[in-house]
């Protein structure tokens, strides 16, 4: 045989989607591993030399996985069951793999019929890979030898609860790749060298211009430029749709999120002596739109889905007034009953009188008059817990200025959102709205000078005084570039998921009145 074609199939950021459903509306959606499985079967039927990889963030993200993790986890993880049946060769750890704690993650890894890879997650004592396997080698009957090195964004300690990553050190992915790629090429002599990296691109793919602060969260562009010997870079984390693209001769791919597409790389090789040599590579995205879900996958996890749906339909209370999201932008321009309610829950649980939260995305529906668990998890979509941290008045001012960058400077016509919060993926969750302080944001002014009023209990906030503020654990760790919060004293750590806290609050009060005190506004 003188020529061969290798097919590499990638999923990333599946985020707990198996069934083709939107859990907020219970309507059909072109998402999930069941549809992906159909596409994978079709591709395997075309080419025996096929490699199926997941790039991380697979076990968290829907009510389906939340219900399993919090109420049904004495059974095997349903995502593992589906992935085992599909026949994944390996998966990389994503940042959200750690959200439910080490016990659940360790059991998930043990039940997987494929290895989980992360060369840069090491034991903080020995320096050895924490989960044992940094890479895999796949040899096909033709003798074709493929290496896959797994890497995970090193920024995880800035988001994750520390007890979930105890004993781990997250090394720089570029430094790690510079060590492992030459080692693999020398020791294993693969014909194709793949890096599967749960991270994205920090620069424009065409111009190389920086598109975000170079924090180390996304280093895909740097990997392509600085690490010799990479043939293909599979990426994720940013939820982008990237195909038909190369950087410095490296073919790159990123298949969105939720299983809306399957990423595919076609590698044509020719035999050259005793080695296979790459002749050409192409990358593309295969849509799940109109694809029939694989019924065998659905049947495998049907009992989990039925339990989830019963839980989601539980009535928990009523809303008196209007807490429905009619216009996401309007909610971010002035105090709103929905945001005030979530802040009220946080302050009640934490026992403090200053709080902030966000409207996480533009699909948040708000609360109807009769509330079920489905409504709660549709609005609070992350498994965040709460922390009370002690910060200065200056920290509050700096945090508000950071939030105020959500808006472009007002041009006299339309209110526009800063691209940093929409591109390459929506980050509306990084715009916070506060309760317990009174403030005004003037978006006619330049960034850094927009907070024109900042009061606490009827008097100006003192820059050198300290204040106890409750917020989610992601923000308390500095997530979203709120670096003013990093390493501040933690006064209280509340280890219960916010969605559970909201549900318990509604169950306790039975009827919630939609109120708004107008403590903040945006002017223009």
């Amino acid at each position: 045989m003188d020529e061969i074609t290798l097919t590499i199939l990638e999923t990333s950021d599946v985020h707990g989607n198996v069934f083709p459903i939107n859990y907020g509306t219970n309507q059909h959606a072109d998402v999930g591993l069941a549809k992906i499985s159909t596409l994978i079967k079709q591709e395997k039927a075309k080419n025996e030399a096929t490699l199926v990889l997941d790039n991380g963030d697979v076990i968290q993200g829907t009510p389906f996985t939340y219900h399993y993790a919090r109420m049904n986890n004495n059974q095997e993880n349903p995502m593992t069951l589906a992935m085992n049946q599909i026949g994944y060769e390996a998966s990389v750890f994503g940042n959200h793999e750690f959200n439910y704690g080490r016990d659940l993650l360790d059991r998930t890894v043990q039940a997987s019929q494929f290895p989980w890879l992360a060369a840069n997650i090491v034991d903080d004592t020995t320096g050895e890979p924490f989960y044992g396997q940094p890479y895999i080698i796949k040899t096909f009957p033709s003798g074709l030898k493929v290496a896959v090195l797994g890497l995970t964004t090193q920024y995880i300690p800035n988001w994750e609860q520390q007890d979930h990553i105890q004993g781990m050190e997250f090394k720089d992915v570029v430094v790690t790749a510079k060590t492992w790629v030459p080692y693999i090429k020398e020791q294993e002599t693969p014909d194709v060298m793949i890096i599967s990296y749960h991270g994205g691109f920090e620069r424009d793919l065409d111009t190389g211009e920086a598109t975000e602060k170079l924090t180390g969260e996304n280093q895909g562009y740097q990997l392509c430029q600085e690490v010799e010997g990479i043939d293909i870079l599979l990426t994720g984390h940013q939820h982008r749709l990237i195909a038909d693209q190369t950087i410095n001769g490296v073919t790159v791919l990123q298949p969105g999120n939720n299983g809306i597409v399957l990423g595919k790389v076609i590698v044509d090789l020719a035999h050259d002596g005793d080695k296979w040599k790459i002749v050409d590579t192409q990358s593309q995205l295969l849509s799940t739109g109109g694809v029939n879900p694989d019924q065998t996958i659905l049947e495998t996890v049907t009992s989990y889905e039925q339990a989830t749906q019963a839980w989601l339909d539980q009535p928990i209370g009523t809303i008196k007034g209007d807490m429905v999201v009619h216009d996401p932008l309007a909610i971010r321009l002035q105090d709103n009953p929905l945001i005030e309610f979530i802040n009220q829950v946080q302050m009640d649980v934490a026992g403090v009188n200053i709080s902030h939260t966000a409207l996480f995305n533009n699909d948040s529906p708000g609360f109807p008059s009769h509330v079920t668990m489905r409504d709660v998890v549709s609005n609070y979509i992350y498994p965040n817990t709460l922390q009370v941290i002690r910060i200065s008045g200056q920290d509050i001012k700096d945090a508000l200025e950071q939030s105020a960058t959500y808006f472009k400077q007002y041009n006299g016509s339309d209110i526009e959102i800063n691209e940093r919060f929409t591109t390459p993926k929506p980050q509306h969750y990084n715009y916070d709205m506060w309760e317990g302080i009174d403030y005004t944001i003037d978006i006619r002014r330049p960034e850094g000078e927009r907070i024109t009023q900042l009061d606490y209990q009827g008097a100006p906030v003192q820059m050198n005084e300290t204040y106890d503020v409750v917020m989610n654990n992601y923000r308390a760790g500095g997530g979203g570039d709120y670096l003013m919060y990093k390493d501040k004293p933690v006064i209280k750590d509340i280890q219960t998921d916010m969605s559970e806290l909201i549900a318990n609050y509604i169950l306790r009060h039975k009827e919630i009145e939609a109120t708004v005190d107008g403590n903040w506004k945006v002017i223009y």
Side-chain angles (χ1 to χ4, degrees):
M1 184 184 296
D2 296 325
E3 297 178 352
I4 193 172
T5 297
L6 168 69
T7 302
I8 303 159
L9 302 176
E10 180 203 6
T11 53
S12 190
D13 301 271
V14 170
H15 284 295
N17 285 280
V18 177
F19 284 75
I21 192 172
N22 178 320
Y23 284 96
T25 63
N26 235 10
Q27 300 298 308
H28 177 272
D30 288 318
V31 299
L33 284 181
K35 282 175 170 274
I36 290 291
S37 178
T38 298
L39 290 174
I40 289 173
K41 284 182 175 179
Q42 291 171 357
E43 292 301 315
K44 283 185 171 181
K46 296 176 189 175
N47 184 13
E48 199 172 310
T50 298
L51 187 64
V52 183
L53 303 168
D54 182 75
N55 194 57
D57 278 4
V58 67
I59 69 170
Q60 175 278 335
T62 58
F64 179 73
T65 47
Y66 179 88
H67 181 265
Y68 163 73
R70 295 304 189 219
M71 297 157 204
N72 198 27
N73 66 20
N74 57 326
Q75 303 180 68
E76 187 176 334
N77 195 315
M79 302 307 291
T80 305
L81 285 170
M83 294 173 75
N84 285 344
Q85 189 154 331
I86 290 169
Y88 278 85
E89 309 278 354
S91 183
V92 172
F93 291 92
N95 50 295
H96 285 288
E97 255 66 71
F98 300 91
N99 287 171
Y100 294 132
R102 279 285 309 283
D103 179 62
L104 185 141
L105 178 56
D106 289 353
R107 286 190 287 114
T108 298
V109 170
Q110 290 164 8
S112 301
Q113 295 170 8
F114 50 86
W116 288 74
L117 310 177
N120 66 309
I121 304 178
V122 302
D123 187 295
D124 63 7
T125 301
T126 67
E128 295 297 316
F130 194 89
Y131 281 96
Q133 193 160 344
Y135 67 90
I136 62 166
I137 299 293
K138 173 74 173 182
T139 303
F140 292 92
S142 62
L144 175 66
K145 200 173 186 182
V146 181
V148 183
L149 175 68
L151 298 169
T152 297
T153 176
Q154 67 196 46
Y155 212 60
I156 289 173
N158 292 281
W159 308 311
E160 191 52 71
Q161 297 179 48
Q162 288 306 303
D163 62 319
H164 291 180
I165 54 174
Q166 191 71 33
M168 302 179 197
E169 182 181 356
F170 293 79
K171 309 284 281 187
D172 183 282
V173 299
V174 176
V175 173
T176 302
K178 286 181 177 178
T179 298
W180 279 105
V181 170
Y183 173 86
I184 294 168
K185 291 179 79 72
E186 180 180 340
Q187 296 295 319
E188 307 283 2
T189 62
D191 302 300
V192 181
M193 182 71 228
I194 302 168
I195 286 183
S196 187
Y197 167 47
H198 189 83
F201 298 98
E202 72 283 23
R203 295 183 180 276
D204 183 276
L205 302 190
D206 296 315
T207 67
E209 293 182 13
T211 54
E212 60 181 49
K213 293 180 181 179
L214 302 180
T215 60
E217 178 179 350
N218 298 297
Q219 294 175 282
Y221 194 91
Q222 189 181 358
L223 281 168
C224 292
Q225 293 289 350
E226 297 186 16
V227 182
E228 294 184 10
I230 307 172
D231 297 311
I232 296 153
L233 178 65
L234 307 177
T235 64
H237 186 54
Q238 292 174 318
H239 299 184
R240 297 169 69 179
L241 297 171
I242 299 173
D244 193 25
Q245 183 84 39
T246 61
I247 301 172
N248 194 29
V250 179
T251 298
V252 299
L253 182 69
Q254 191 169 141
N257 64 306
N258 297 342
I260 59 173
V261 300
L262 176 65
K264 177 181 178 181
V265 181
I266 303 167
V267 186
D268 294 322
L269 302 104
H271 211 258
D272 182 9
D274 60 349
K275 292 282 291 179
W276 289 101
K277 299 291 185 183
I278 296 176
V279 176
D280 185 41
T281 60
Q282 302 172 44
S283 59
Q284 56 189 255
L285 302 172
L286 308 178
S287 173
T288 56
V291 173
N292 291 323
D294 184 339
Q295 292 301 314
T296 60
I297 299 300
L298 298 183
E299 289 166 7
T300 299
V301 294
T302 290
S303 63
Y304 294 83
E305 174 70 2
Q306 290 172 341
T308 300
Q309 290 291 346
W311 171 69
L312 285 171
D313 288 332
Q314 292 177 15
I316 59 174
T318 60
I319 303 295
K320 183 181 179 182
D322 187 2
M323 277 196 199
V324 174
V325 175
H326 302 285
D327 180 352
L329 179 59
I331 286 179
R332 298 185 180 106
L333 290 174
Q334 62 181 358
D335 197 14
N336 175 273
L338 175 65
I339 300 303
E340 185 161 304
F341 168 66
I342 295 173
N343 275 319
Q344 181 59 49
V345 173
Q346 293 188 171
M347 293 187 293
D348 179 77
V349 171
V352 298
N353 57 11
I354 305 177
S355 170
H356 65 64
T357 189
L359 184 69
F360 292 122
N361 62 43
N362 287 343
D363 296 324
S364 297
F367 290 115
S369 55
H370 295 279
V371 182
T372 65
M373 278 304 306
R374 189 183 307 278
D375 301 312
V376 174
V377 298
S378 295
N379 285 283
Y380 210 102
I381 58 177
Y382 299 110
N384 291 335
T385 58
L386 297 177
Q387 287 187 329
V388 177
I389 63 173
R390 184 161 290 163
I391 59 178
S392 68
Q394 185 64 57
D395 293 328
I396 293 176
K397 168 72 161 52
D398 292 343
L400 286 168
E401 292 287 3
Q402 172 70 16
S403 271
T405 66
Y406 181 79
F407 302 100
K408 287 185 178 180
Q409 191 166 0
Y410 185 61
N411 61 12
S413 177
D414 298 322
I415 296 174
E416 298 181 87
I417 308 304
N418 191 323
E419 286 90 349
R420 295 202 300 269
F421 291 81
T422 61
T423 308
K425 73 174 181 179
Q427 298 184 51
H428 302 294
Y429 51 79
N430 283 330
Y431 175 73
D432 291 330
M433 293 162 279
W434 294 59
E435 192 64 31
I437 57 173
D438 297 282
Y439 63 97
T440 302
I441 300 173
D442 187 344
I443 60 174
R444 297 169 297 187
R445 300 170 64 88
E447 291 185 7
E449 302 175 16
R450 293 181 170 177
I451 307 305
T452 56
Q453 175 217 1
L454 179 53
D455 297 332
Y456 173 65
Q457 296 184 341
V461 168
Q462 300 300 305
M463 296 298 103
N464 294 324
E465 291 291 326
T466 58
Y467 302 83
D468 291 350
V469 181
V470 60
M471 62 190 75
N472 67 57
N473 63 292
Y474 168 77
R475 187 70 80 239
D481 294 328
Y482 285 81
L483 302 182
M484 69 290 297
Y485 295 148
K486 279 183 64 66
D487 302 320
K488 292 298 166 70
V490 176
I491 305 307
K492 191 177 292 186
D493 198 359
I494 300 161
Q495 291 293 317
T496 304
D497 288 355
M498 234 338 249
S499 56
E500 186 176 340
L501 294 173
I502 292 170
N504 289 342
Y505 187 94
I506 297 173
L507 283 165
R508 188 168 76 249
H509 292 272
K510 296 184 174 58
E511 181 181 86
I512 306 297
E513 186 169 357
T515 62
V516 61
D517 61 9
N519 66 299
W520 68 273
K521 62 184 176 182
V522 174
I523 61 174
Y524 50 94

